[in-house]
C-alpha cells in the first residue's frame, strides 16, 4: 500500500479506537452515579452501555497516559478494554448503600486491570514495542488464513509478504499462538459451597486475525456505502433495516418518559416507494439492486489494494 493509504487507514483506526463505546443516538444525559444505580437496581444492560458512553473520554485519557508511560502506542485499544474489565470487576463488588460514589470506587479496579495487561505484555507473551505489535497481528492474520499451517510453504509465504526472514516469522507465530491461548482459571462453587471443576476454553474474541480482518471489513463496507448516492443509501438502509447515517440497527423511542432502543424494521420495496413518492415498488427494487452492484464493485476495488 502507498504511504497515503497507510495514513488514511491509521486515521480511521484512531477514530474507531476512541469511539468504541460511543452510542448514536446519544443516550439521556444523567449523573454518572445514576447510570450505575439504575444498572444495579434494574439489571438492564443499557445503563452500563450508557455509562461507558459517558465515561469514554476519561477512558481515552487514561489509556493514552498508559501508552505514553510504557511506550505502547499500538496497544491503546487493548489497554482501554483492560480498563473496562476493571470497571466490570468493580461492579461485582460495589454496593451503593455504602455511600461512596462509583467513580471513586472503580479507580483501583481500573488500575489493576491496566497493570495486569501491562505485566502480560512485558512478560514476553506480547513484545512491548510500538512497531512489533501490529506486525504480530498481521502475521497471525495470514497464519490463520492459511489454516494455521506451520509448514515451510506457509512460513515462506508470510516471510515474503512481511519482508522478514523465516526464523523471525516462526518466532512471531509462537508468540502469537501462546498469546491467543492464554486463559485464566476461575474457581466455581456448587450450591453447598464446595469447589467444582470448570472447563477451560480459549476466548477467541481478541485474536489478532479477528481484530485485523474485522477492521479491514468495516473499512471496506464503509467505503462501499459512501460510494452510493443519497437515494441509493436511503433505499439500502430502509430495506435492510439500519440507520443511513450512523449504521445502527436500533432506534431510540420515547415511551412513558423513558428512552428505549428498538430494532429498526426492514421495509418492503412497496413501503419505500410509497414513503418516497416513487412511481412503483419496481423503482425502489431497481435502485436497491443497482446500489448492491455498485457496492460489490467498490468492495472489489478496495480489496485489490490489499493484494
Amino acid at each position: 500500500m502507498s504511504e497515503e493509504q497507510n495514513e488514511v487507514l491509521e486515521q480511521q483506526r484512531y477514530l474507531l479506537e476512541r469511539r468504541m463505546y460511543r452510542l448514536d443516538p446519544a443516550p439521556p444525559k444523567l449523573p454518572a452515579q445514576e447510570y450505575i444505580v439504575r444498572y444495579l437496581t434494574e439489571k438492564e444492560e443499557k445503563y452500563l452501555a450508557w455509562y461507558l458512553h459517558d465515561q469514554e473520554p476519561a477512558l481515552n485519557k487514561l489509556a493514552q497516559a498508559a501508552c505514553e508511560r510504557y511506550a505502547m502506542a499500538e496497544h491503546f485499544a487493548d489497554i482501554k478494554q483492560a480498563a473496562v474489565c476493571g470497571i466490570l470487576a468493580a461492579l461485582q463488588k460495589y454496593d451503593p448503600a455504602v455511600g461512596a460514589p462509583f467513580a471513586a470506587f472503580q479507580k483501583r479496579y481500573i488500575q489493576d486491570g491496566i497493570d495486569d495487561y501491562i505485566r502480560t505484555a512485558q512478560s514476553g507473551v506480547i513484545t512491548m514495542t510500538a512497531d512489533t505489535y501490529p506486525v504480530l497481528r498481521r502475521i497471525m492474520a495470514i497464519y490463520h488464513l492459511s489454516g494455521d499451517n506451520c509448514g515451510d510453504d506457509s512460513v515462506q509465504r508470510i516471510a515474503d509478504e512481511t519482508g522478514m526472514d523465516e526464523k523471525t516469522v516462526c518466532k512471531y507465530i509462537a508468540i502469537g499462538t501462546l498469546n491467543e491461548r492464554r486463559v485464566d482459571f476461575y474457581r466455581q462453587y456448587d450450591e453447598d459451597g464446595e469447589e467444582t471443576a470448570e472447563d477451560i476454553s480459549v476466548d477467541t474474541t481478541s485474536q489478532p486475525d479477528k481484530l485485523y480482518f474485522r477492521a479491514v471489513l468495516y473499512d471496506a463496507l464503509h467505503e462501499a456505502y459512501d460510494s452510493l448516492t443519497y437515494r441509493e443509501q436511503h433505499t439500502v438502509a430502509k430495506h435492510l433495516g439500519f440507520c443511513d447515517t450512523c449504521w445502527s440497527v436500533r432506534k431510540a423511542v420515547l415511551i412513558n418518559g423513558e428512552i428505549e432502543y428498538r430494532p429498526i424494521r426492514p421495509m418492503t420495496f412497496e413501503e419505500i416507494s410509497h414513503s418516497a413518492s416513487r412511481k412503483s415498488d419496481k423503482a425502489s427494487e431497481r435502485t436497491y439492486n443497482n446500489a448492491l452492484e455498485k457496492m460489490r464493485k467498490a468492495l472489489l476495488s478496495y480489496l485489490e489494494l490489499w493484494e
Side-chain angles (χ1 to χ4, degrees):
M1 290 188 296
S2 66
E3 183 177 347
E4 183 178 354
Q5 290 171 336
N6 282 328
E7 184 177 350
V8 171
L9 291 177
E10 183 63 23
Q11 292 175 349
Q12 292 175 343
R13 182 178 69 86
Y14 178 91
L15 291 176
L16 288 173
E17 289 180 346
R18 282 152 181 79
R19 298 176 179 176
M20 295 168 62
Y21 302 103
R22 179 179 178 180
L23 299 178
D24 192 353
K29 183 63 178 177
L30 301 172
Q33 183 69 12
E34 184 67 17
Y35 293 126
I36 298 300
V37 172
R38 291 193 182 190
Y39 171 74
L40 295 175
T41 304
E42 302 179 22
K43 307 299 182 182
E44 289 283 348
E45 294 293 334
K46 67 179 182 180
Y47 295 117
L48 177 58
W50 292 1
Y51 180 75
L52 294 177
H53 172 91
D54 180 74
Q55 294 294 304
E56 187 157 36
L59 290 172
N60 288 338
K61 186 176 180 180
L62 193 63
Q64 186 63 40
C67 288
E68 294 174 359
R69 179 178 181 183
Y70 295 102
M72 299 173 67
E74 294 297 329
H75 294 242
F76 179 91
D78 295 322
I79 293 175
K80 182 176 177 180
Q81 291 182 79
V84 173
C85 288
I87 292 176
L88 298 179
L91 281 171
Q92 303 302 314
K93 305 288 186 179
Y94 182 65
D95 183 3
V98 174
F102 184 76
F105 183 83
Q106 69 180 359
K107 286 184 179 179
R108 179 174 67 84
Y109 292 89
I110 290 177
Q111 193 58 52
D112 287 346
I114 293 177
D115 290 343
D116 182 68
Y117 176 81
I118 298 297
R119 282 193 296 271
T120 302
Q122 290 178 329
S123 68
V125 177
I126 301 174
T127 307
M128 193 191 69
T129 69
D131 299 324
T132 303
Y133 190 52
V135 175
L136 171 66
R137 290 173 60 170
R138 176 159 177 76
I139 287 178
M140 292 308 295
I142 302 173
Y143 169 72
H144 288 305
L145 191 62
S146 303
D148 294 357
N149 184 4
C150 284
D152 293 339
D153 293 340
S154 179
V155 172
Q156 183 61 54
R157 176 194 169 192
I158 297 174
D160 293 340
E161 291 197 26
T162 59
M164 307 174 73
D165 59 79
E166 296 180 24
K167 184 177 180 180
T168 303
V169 169
C170 290
K171 180 179 179 182
Y172 269 97
I173 292 176
I175 293 173
T177 53
L178 177 61
N179 175 55
E180 290 174 354
R181 286 159 177 77
R182 178 182 181 271
V183 61
D184 293 327
F185 287 79
Y186 297 91
R187 290 182 179 178
Q188 283 190 339
Y189 299 88
D190 59 20
E191 294 179 355
D192 298 325
E194 297 293 330
E195 291 186 17
T196 61
E198 178 187 17
D199 292 331
I200 303 300
S201 60
V202 179
D203 178 8
T204 61
T205 57
S206 61
Q207 286 188 358
D209 68 311
K210 301 293 192 302
L211 297 173
Y212 177 78
F213 284 117
R214 187 186 307 157
V216 172
L217 175 61
Y218 287 166
D219 290 342
L221 288 174
H222 291 163
E223 288 281 347
Y225 185 77
D226 288 341
S227 69
L228 304 179
T229 64
Y230 172 78
R231 178 174 178 172
E232 291 169 338
Q233 289 181 353
H234 181 80
T235 302
V236 170
K238 292 295 184 183
H239 187 60
L240 297 182
F242 65 91
C243 176
D244 58 357
T245 56
C246 68
W247 306 300
S248 174
V249 295
R250 296 188 301 169
K251 61 181 178 180
V253 180
L254 187 63
I255 299 178
N256 297 326
E258 294 289 337
I259 294 180
E260 294 185 10
Y261 290 97
R262 296 187 173 182
I264 298 176
R265 183 181 66 84
M267 298 174 62
T268 65
F269 293 124
E270 183 178 1
E271 291 173 325
I272 296 172
S273 295
H274 179 74
S275 65
S277 300
R278 296 175 187 171
K279 295 181 179 180
S280 68
D281 56 337
K282 294 296 182 181
S284 293
E285 187 175 0
R286 284 195 299 271
T287 301
Y288 175 78
N289 291 330
N290 291 336
L292 291 188
E293 184 60 29
K294 287 178 65 174
M295 289 186 68
R296 290 191 187 97
K297 292 180 180 179
L299 285 170
L300 289 175
S301 299
Y302 186 91
L303 293 177
E304 287 175 357
L305 298 175
W306 295 86
E307 297 180 353

